[in-house]
Structures are given as structure tokens and as C-alpha cells.
Amino acid sequence: MASALINVPAHAKRGDIIEIKTLMSHIMETGYRHTAAGEVVPRNIITSLTCRYNGAEIFRADLFPAIAANPFITFFTVATESGKFDFEWIGDRGFTETASASITVE
Amino acid sequence: MRSARTIAVAVLLLAADIATSLLSANEIPQGERRSGYSFMSPDTQAMQNDDTANPGMLWVLDGEALWKSKAGATDKACVDCHQDARASMKGVAARYPAFDETLGRPVDLEQRINLCRARHQEATPLRYESRDLLALTAFVAQQSRGMAIEAGTDPRLEPFVARGHELFMQRQGQLNLGCTNCHDDNWDKHLAGSAITQAQPTGYPLYRLEWQSLGSLQRRLRACIGGIRAQTYDYGAPELVELELYLMSRARGMSIETPAVRP
């Protein structure tokens, strides 16, 4: 199932500051809620998002239970060279998702 | 004594004022109809405008995958009969709820998908508010984005639209309110800090930030009915479909926004 939406500009001038937007499908269950029967609903969250630009890590975020479902995370970087952004989300219960996007820098 | 009488008169006047304002159930003039979108903050509007920021698009993408996945005893996918949804499903959501010949009553888009599953795929129905049903509904409805709503024009639907209208006007629950008391009479006001809105069903299924999920119009109606402390109808109940049908015909001519974002 498709689970991530990535928005990276397809083209940029060298030195441009570009915005990168990521949206990941996830329930972000806090671990603080209980069922009607009183049992704890186990925590199930994304714990980290990393972004690599041509292999080099340029952004990392740690996520916590207070973050809403389907986390939308945006950040800025400088377009230095053409290539690929690789995104990786890691979470509880062995959750891993990856996505990538290409950029042409002139 | 005199002041007590003044207060009593004032209370009476106030009660009369409230009674008349609640009784004057005026329909919203065509030119003053507004989507829930126009009541939202610029931030929430921006979220809906950008398909890579709109969480509803996650369901639309899932729906696109489901459209092509085979299901049921006949091992058919939606795409095997309907081909490309971009062409075949364009404008469909704008016409729903629509009359079903076999059942002799209107069905909403979710019910149509489940009828299609039962009749043509021989598959089990998808549960209301399940991720799969919301995803398929959102994917189908998104194909009508920007198109004008035209539901309820079929003459066979007339008695059902009328019943939906009746239900919309009818006071019920411990708070003794009808839908109309808020959504026709007081839509320009606030309730506990939130805009009341006109109850125009232009963006369903839609992503509510409060739900942290996509949800159907029936979920919204059930939440509202619970809010006035009335007995809620079960998912799929004819009353809910009639209400959906009335709301859609009331919004005729307004644009579909699916998947919308709402606070």
C-alpha cells in the first residue's frame, strides 16, 4: 500500500534553498490509551525520520507519542547537486518505510 | 416587587426572542451557501490545497491500489469492469446517493461499492469506516473533484429527499434540536469556539484533524446526532442515507472537494 507522500522540487538552481515536505501514513498510537476493557493499547509510533541527499544525511527527526497520526514533516535544505533524496522512517513493531525523490540542479 | 416584575418580563421577552429565532427555520439562499472550507483557518485551507500535504491523499492512493486488486469468488478487480477510474468514475460521486433499482431505495457511495462487491465480485462487504472502504470511496469521489453536485434530481428519489428533509428539520434528543437549528439558523455563529458551518457535504470522505483519520458523511452525521444527545442510527441505516441524500441535494451546484480537510 502506498504510504508516503513526498514533495521535492524537480528542478532548482545551485544554491537555492528548497523546501522538502513529507507525509507518512501511520496511526501514531501513543501507548497511553486504554480499551473499554481497561487494557493498555500498546504504543505504536514512528520513532525516527532520516533524509539522505546523495548518501549524506542532511536531516533527522526523532518522533514521540505526542505527535499526531500521519506525521507531516517539512524542512529546508540547499540544492547543491543533482541527485536523489532518500527518506527512511523507522518505528515500533519493526516498522520501516522508505521513499525517494530526484532533483535536477542547474 | 417592581424589580422582580421587570426581571420576569425581561425573562419572558428573552424566551420569546430565543423561541422565534429557533423557530424561523429559513433555508439558506443559494447565493449565501458556503462550503465548510471557507470557515477554516488559512493553515487548514493550505493543507487541503496541497495534495502532498493533504493526509486524505494517503487514502486516495490506497484506493487507487485497491481499484486494481482482485477480490472475491469471481477474482475480479474494479478495474476489470470499470477500466480507468479517471474516466469511468468522473462525476459519479456528484450524483450519489443514487436510486438502486433492485433495492428500490437510494444507496450512498459506500453502499454502492459494497453492492458492487456482492453482485459482481462475490466478495464480502467492507465494514463501514474500515480503511479499505474509506480508501475506495475517497478514490472514486476524488475523480469528481471540482465538479458540481447534482444528486437527488432523479424523480424516483423525491420521497426519500423529502424524508431526509423532514429528519433535518425534526427536533430530537435530550437537547431537543434539529439539524436546521444550527445549520440553517445559526451557521454564522460559533459553538464552543468552533464555527457552526452550513453542513454542506462537499468534501466527503474527508480528513478531520480531530479524528486523525478520514471519515465518511455517516460518521459525521452520527457524531452530530450524538452531540444533540439523540439515539444514533446504525451505519447504513436508511435514515442516514436519506439525510445524506437531502444534504447532497441541498448542496446541488456546489463543487466536490474530496478529499477535504476539516478541523
Side-chain angles (χ1 to χ4, degrees):
Chain A
M1 284 258 187
S3 46
L5 279 167
I6 306 290
N7 186 353
V8 173
H11 299 276
K13 285 204 193 91
R14 196 174 304 277
D16 273 1
I17 293 169
I18 55 167
E19 184 175 18
I20 294 172
K21 301 181 191 174
T22 69
L23 180 60
M24 168 51 76
S25 175
H26 200 284
I27 57 164
M28 297 296 284
E29 182 60 57
T30 61
Y32 297 125
R33 299 198 305 162
H34 295 78
T35 63
E39 286 162 32
V40 173
V41 182
R43 193 185 90 161
N44 181 13
I45 65 167
I46 298 173
T47 48
S48 97
L49 161 66
T50 48
C51 173
R52 291 187 181 78
Y53 187 7
N54 287 337
E57 185 174 305
I58 56 158
F59 180 84
R60 175 189 289 268
D62 291 332
L63 285 80
F64 296 92
I67 294 172
N70 308 310
F72 178 59
I73 297 174
T74 75
F75 54 92
F76 294 87
T77 190
V78 177
T80 51
E81 53 184 347
S82 295
K84 217 169 86 176
F85 290 95
D86 288 301
F87 302 87
E88 187 181 26
W89 293 261
I90 294 172
D92 294 336
R93 303 186 186 187
F95 177 86
T96 55
E97 279 287 341
T98 55
S100 61
S102 302
I103 187 168
T104 310
V105 177
E106 286 134 15
Chain B
M1 183 67 197
R2 190 175 156 186
S3 67
R5 213 169 63 192
T6 318
I7 289 168
V9 168
V11 166
L12 272 177
L13 282 174
L14 193 68
D17 190 44
I18 290 168
T20 45
S21 77
L22 288 180
L23 280 172
S24 62
N26 293 318
E27 274 186 27
I28 300 164
Q30 293 282 308
E32 285 177 34
R33 291 184 308 170
R34 284 165 58 188
S35 155
Y37 177 87
S38 69
F39 293 84
M40 307 197 301
S41 72
D43 284 344
T44 320
Q45 291 184 348
M47 204 171 177
Q48 177 174 326
N49 294 344
D50 179 354
D51 274 351
T52 56
N54 180 344
M57 289 306 291
L58 296 168
W59 276 259
V60 171
L61 289 177
D62 284 351
E64 192 171 9
L66 284 170
W67 185 260
K68 295 174 197 141
S69 76
K70 296 188 186 297
T74 58
D75 201 30
K76 278 199 282 193
C78 310
V79 69
D80 293 329
C81 294
H82 297 288
Q83 282 88 38
D84 187 359
R86 277 166 190 81
S88 63
M89 291 296 121
K90 199 173 165 62
V92 170
R95 296 194 292 271
Y96 269 75
F99 192 80
D100 183 81
E101 301 250 355
T102 319
L103 296 176
R105 59 175 167 85
V107 294
D108 64 15
L109 204 51
E110 285 87 349
Q111 289 174 323
R112 166 59 61 215
I113 288 168
N114 271 334
L115 282 174
C116 221
R117 282 176 68 83
R119 289 171 185 168
H120 306 295
Q121 292 180 301
E122 294 174 32
T124 49
L126 299 170
R127 199 174 45 79
Y128 269 96
E129 303 309 296
S130 64
R131 183 156 184 114
D132 284 3
L133 186 56
L134 287 171
L136 266 175
T137 313
F139 175 64
V140 169
Q142 195 232 2
Q143 309 310 320
S144 305
R145 188 149 73 169
M147 297 178 73
I149 293 172
E150 45 182 296
T153 43
D154 184 338
R156 291 172 298 181
L157 290 174
E158 243 170 63
F160 300 97
V161 178
R163 276 219 286 280
H165 185 206
E166 234 170 74
L167 201 51
F168 188 84
M169 305 301 288
Q170 183 194 311
R171 286 173 180 275
Q172 52 179 323
Q174 289 180 326
L175 298 189
N176 197 29
L177 288 170
C179 315
T180 182
N181 298 131
C182 285
H183 298 293
D184 280 335
D185 299 342
N186 290 297
W187 57 263
D188 50 349
K189 300 190 181 73
H190 285 75
L191 183 65
S194 304
I196 288 177
T197 82
Q198 297 180 350
Q200 307 288 5
T202 49
Y204 287 90
L206 55 73
Y207 192 89
R208 272 200 79 196
L209 301 178
E210 185 190 312
W211 293 338
Q212 298 196 24
S213 167
L214 210 69
S216 69
L217 178 53
Q218 292 206 2
R219 180 173 179 183
R220 172 70 267 184
L221 293 174
R222 281 165 51 90
C224 246
I225 294 169
I228 56 169
R229 298 185 205 158
Q231 188 81 43
T232 53
Y233 303 100
D234 289 335
Y235 278 111
E239 288 87 351
L240 286 181
V241 179
E242 284 158 12
L243 257 180
E244 285 184 90
L245 177 63
Y246 169 66
L247 288 177
M248 284 294 275
S249 60
R250 179 172 169 265
R252 211 177 287 149
M254 299 178 75
S255 296
I256 298 263
E257 296 166 44
T258 311
V261 177
R262 294 290 183 269

